[in-house]
Amino acid sequence: MPKTQRLGVNIDHVATIRNARGSSYPDPLRAALMAQEAGADGITAHLREDRRHIRDGDIDALMAGIKVPLNFEMAATPEMQTIALRHIPHACCIVPEKREEVTTEGGLDVAGDLARLTDYVAPLVEAGIRVSMFIGHDPAQIEASAKIGAQVIELHTGHYCDLHHAGDFGARDAELEALRAGAAYADSLGLEVHAGHGLTYDTVTPIAAMKQIRELNIGHFLIAEAIFSGLGPAITHMRKLMDAARG
Ligand code: PXP
């Protein structure tokens, strides 16, 4: 098991700020290049159906401009599959998407949509894209992700983070235990394990310490923290906490 854990930096909320004023700045590509310079191992961007933050032109610019791998987050729709197959990013992370949600609220129901997702994922994998399913720690969802041919799962850490910030430490620790078991189970099935959602300086350590987790994807907190410390220092500090957790 490799000791190092990759950090993917999600730059969606640079685009959120840009779009709030209909301006051309701040530029998500500039943020991605700064993140790359600060040691990010990958850039994550979510092209939502409603284009509320990242837009099609941002994906063009990121594909052309960054050297580290792009993790293209997307819903399992025909439109997004066409875009992914046009760009062939390093990875696609398939996420559930509801128009009315503020952010990705839960994991995918892979087990309940097995046949469609098997057909959906196949052309992406054939094109050489690493396909990741964003799911909770339920063993049935982990097994289903392996069954449909995805190479990677990304475990949703949002509930764990919410429990931590609510001060419900008993429930938080139970959720951590379930995430730990899920990561070990997925690894035993040959899936590469990633994790993300809601992670902060306060919550990253126990997740980063899980040896099977090869990559964390973090966005909102890093972009928020950049207001106070700058993006580079925020990424450097997160990286330091991840490395310390790995021992
Ligand atoms: N991973 C996935 C699959 C996500 O949907 C998101 C949010 O876009 C993240 C990671 C990053 O979450 P956050 O912005 O809360 O750090």
Side-chain angles (χ1 to χ4, degrees):
M1 195 69 56
K3 192 171 162 194
T4 55
Q5 186 175 59
R6 295 188 298 270
L7 171 60
V9 174
N10 182 316
I11 45 118
D12 292 350
H13 296 308
V14 177
T16 302
I17 296 169
R18 175 195 62 192
N19 298 356
R21 288 286 293 269
S23 58
S24 59
Y25 62 87
D27 176 12
L29 174 61
R30 185 173 169 202
L33 293 172
M34 280 186 91
Q36 181 178 277
E37 181 68 26
D41 302 291
I43 298 298
T44 294
H46 183 176
L47 186 66
R48 293 186 74 104
E49 184 196 10
D50 61 9
R51 310 300 198 266
R52 69 174 69 156
H53 37 60
I54 294 293
R55 296 174 179 150
D56 299 70
D58 295 321
I59 299 296
D60 296 340
L62 290 166
M63 281 299 296
I66 61 173
K67 291 200 184 75
V68 292
L70 178 69
N71 176 28
F72 179 56
E73 258 187 46
M74 61 189 226
T77 64
E79 181 199 20
M80 290 301 151
Q81 190 189 52
T82 302
I83 294 170
L85 290 172
R86 190 165 70 238
H87 286 294
I88 317 285
H90 169 78
C92 281
C93 182
I94 313 293
V95 300
E97 198 175 290
K98 292 189 224 115
R99 256 180 192 262
E100 64 277 14
E101 70 191 356
V102 176
T103 181
T104 316
E105 281 166 3
L108 276 170
D109 181 12
V110 185
D113 202 5
L114 212 60
R116 187 183 77 89
L117 287 173
T118 301
D119 291 345
Y120 190 84
V121 158
L124 300 171
V125 172
E126 269 163 38
I129 301 169
R130 286 187 70 73
V131 177
S132 170
M133 310 307 284
F134 188 49
I135 57 172
H137 46 61
D138 175 2
Q141 300 298 344
I142 296 170
E143 281 162 26
S145 299
K147 214 177 277 177
I148 65 161
Q151 305 103 315
V152 183
I153 60 158
E154 180 162 328
L155 290 171
H156 197 312
T157 52
H159 187 46
Y160 150 68
C161 293
D162 288 346
L163 291 168
H164 176 88
H165 293 296
D168 190 348
F169 298 136
R172 173 201 65 184
D173 291 347
E175 179 67 9
L176 268 177
E177 204 39 56
L179 286 165
R180 215 171 270 127
Y185 184 49
D187 183 67
S188 77
L189 296 180
L191 290 160
E192 182 173 315
V193 187
H194 300 176
H197 209 283
L199 292 170
T200 64
Y201 294 155
D202 289 340
T203 53
V204 73
T205 298
I207 300 293
M210 296 180 195
K211 296 292 181 229
Q212 294 91 354
I213 297 182
R214 302 274 302 278
E215 177 176 307
L216 299 184
N217 284 298
I218 308 179
H220 182 69
F221 177 79
L222 288 173
I223 303 306
E225 195 58 20
I227 295 168
F228 305 107
S229 69
L231 185 57
I235 291 168
T236 307
H237 188 62
M238 188 62 83
R239 172 92 263 162
K240 216 157 94 184
L241 293 174
M242 287 165 63
D243 290 346
R246 300 299 265 190

